[in-house]
Amino acid sequence: MAGRKKCVIMGTGSYLPEKVLTNFDLEKMVDTSDEWIVARSGIRERRLAADGQITSDLGVPAVRVALEDAGVAAEEIDMLIMTTITPDMIFPSTSCVVQSKLGLPNAACCDLNAACTGCIYSIEMGRHLIEGGNYKRVLVVGAEKLSAITDWEDRATCVLFGDGAGAMVLGPADDDKGIVDIYLGANGEWGDLLFMPAGGTLNPASHETVDGRMHYMKMLGREVFKHAVIEMARSVEIVLERNGLTIDDIDCLIPHQANIRIIKALAKKIRIPVEKVFVNLETRGNMSAAALFVALDEANKSGFVKKGDRVILVGFGAGLTWGAGLIDW
Ligand code: ACO
């Protein structure tokens, strides 16, 4: 790193669609109850995109807020990395669609898929572009319209997910604040715990795939839960250890927002007081790749994260993938 500038998060933004779907609404759709959903997940309501409002439409307003927060003009962006499991289309990339809707004339564009860990993966890619010196302003965006791939007849999954988007602008730091370290991991052997079977080359769209409800998310929730706690805890411990820190040095933990029981089990395992842990899933649900972006923006704007804080982001998702990032805010 000698001679290289650190990468800093210059600004954050998020966008949530207006429509609210409560647990009581879900009670009318599937055999479930507000009591079960709150007890098993901590979620009370989530936002849903309007008909015709697609993933890029969620990303665009989040980017506008992040650009304004960073004080950066659209023309200054030289790279846009978009992370999503619900792209507008398989191709072209949703990043290119966002670029055309916003007007980012100087940005190269690509999509990145690491499911719910997409935020941490895309920050890691973006920060190395900045630290390498060839890129000055990198936009990273997470946007999801999970309602489009949710099986609204499957009570085991449909109660968990929501739609939304978040964004951040990365640039070279003026001081020693910024992204200190990021650890990433994956194990593809656990791919069948959380997946969407059809729509790719394995099962191209056909009458059979539609009849078999194969264009929806499938999940073995209990197995995912177990791996999530273990791998997130391990990710935090790796980042702490290789930077000579203990959990007591951390002011704020921002975990992926999937389930309050996963977050509590993680906090207990790594021994961080719950008051230091940011949670918004009660009103957001799990927004996959958008979740950590939105959480970081809300933690930032609400003052939960303050200048000078030492922050850890930690996530996991389909793949399975996982990772943790240490940031001097
Ligand atoms: N309402 C009422 N009952 C339900 C519901 C529901 N919505 N869903 C399941 N049940 C029932 C099940 O049928 C089961 O009944 P049975 O005992 O008669 O068979 C019972 O409740 C228990 O089901 P489990 O699945 O064992 O419940 P669990 O305590 O594991 O909670 C949950 C389920 C909430 C899905 C949990 O396992 C979880 O959160 N897992 C992690 C999921 C996750 O985080 N996924 C996102 C990954 S991020 C990404 O990449 C998209």
Side-chain angles (χ1 to χ4, degrees):
M1 279 288 291
R4 285 186 176 193
K5 283 198 167 187
K6 250 190 198 158
C7 172
V8 71
I9 297 171
M10 299 178 68
T12 63
S14 59
Y15 169 78
L16 296 166
E18 275 172 32
K19 186 177 173 189
V20 175
L21 185 78
T22 67
N23 292 351
F24 299 105
D25 297 325
L26 281 161
E27 284 181 356
K28 295 176 201 133
M29 296 161 64
V30 287
D31 179 16
T32 191
S33 66
D34 172 61
E35 198 186 357
W36 190 95
I37 302 169
V38 173
R40 307 311 286 172
S41 74
I43 299 164
R44 291 181 188 276
E45 60 183 48
R46 69 289 292 143
R47 299 296 182 96
L48 296 191
D51 290 343
Q53 191 179 28
I54 58 176
T55 297
S56 56
D57 296 328
L58 304 176
V60 164
V63 169
R64 288 210 174 97
V65 178
L67 288 173
E68 194 179 337
D69 191 44
V72 166
E75 295 73 28
E76 292 178 70
I77 298 298
D78 34 30
M79 172 62 85
L80 163 56
I81 304 172
M82 179 116 192
T83 177
T84 180
I85 57 167
T86 49
D88 288 359
M89 294 169 274
I90 298 274
F91 73 91
S93 68
T94 307
S95 56
C96 282
V97 183
V98 167
Q99 183 206 36
S100 75
K101 287 182 176 174
L102 266 165
L104 301 168
N106 302 310
C109 298
C110 67
D111 282 9
L112 181 157
N113 181 344
C116 303
T117 323
C119 178
I120 301 175
Y121 267 72
S122 59
I123 295 175
E124 176 67 333
M125 308 299 157
R127 96 162 159 125
H128 284 290
L129 296 178
I130 297 290
E131 287 178 4
N134 283 350
Y135 294 81
K136 302 294 176 222
R137 300 284 183 262
V138 174
L139 191 54
V140 283
V141 187
E144 298 285 16
K145 185 177 178 177
L146 295 176
S147 57
I149 59 163
T150 297
D151 185 345
W152 293 104
E153 292 181 9
D154 176 15
R155 68 175 184 172
T157 53
C158 76
V159 301
L160 301 173
F161 299 102
D163 299 335
M168 57 183 79
V169 180
L170 305 179
D174 293 329
D175 52 25
D176 64 344
K177 299 290 179 216
I179 300 163
V180 179
D181 191 17
I182 291 181
Y183 162 76
L184 300 175
N187 187 339
E189 289 185 16
W190 294 329
D192 57 359
L193 299 183
L194 179 53
F195 68 115
M196 191 171 88
T201 55
L202 178 64
N203 296 300
S206 67
H207 290 293
E208 287 70 34
T209 61
V210 173
D211 292 345
R213 308 188 76 76
M214 291 165 69
H215 294 271
Y216 297 124
M217 274 184 281
K218 313 284 175 197
M219 181 174 71
L220 291 175
R222 216 176 260 184
E223 286 300 302
V224 174
F225 191 115
K226 197 176 69 189
H227 290 300
V229 176
I230 294 170
E231 299 304 340
M232 284 201 290
R234 205 168 61 83
S235 300
V236 171
E237 279 154 11
I238 288 172
V239 162
L240 288 174
E241 198 197 324
R242 67 188 191 189
N243 290 280
L245 300 172
T246 73
I247 198 69
D248 298 333
D249 297 313
I250 302 304
D251 299 298
C252 173
L253 181 84
I254 307 183
H256 176 49
Q257 305 287 314
N259 185 319
I260 193 67
R261 290 189 297 135
I262 293 177
I263 292 175
K264 283 185 178 162
L266 169 70
K268 192 172 170 203
K269 204 165 165 58
I270 62 173
R271 297 198 181 85
I272 191 165
V274 286
E275 307 77 63
K276 289 187 177 181
V277 182
F278 184 81
V279 178
N280 68 358
L281 60 80
E282 190 176 349
T283 54
R284 307 281 177 252
N286 180 353
M287 298 182 291
S288 189
L292 264 176
F293 283 100
V294 174
L296 190 66
D297 182 48
E298 292 180 352
N300 178 24
K301 307 269 169 76
S302 67
F304 190 89
V305 173
K306 292 173 282 303
K307 199 160 174 50
D309 277 356
R310 203 172 257 158
V311 179
I312 285 190
L313 295 182
V314 61
F316 75 96
L320 295 180
T321 55
W322 54 84
L326 175 66
I327 304 171
D328 282 339
W329 198 259

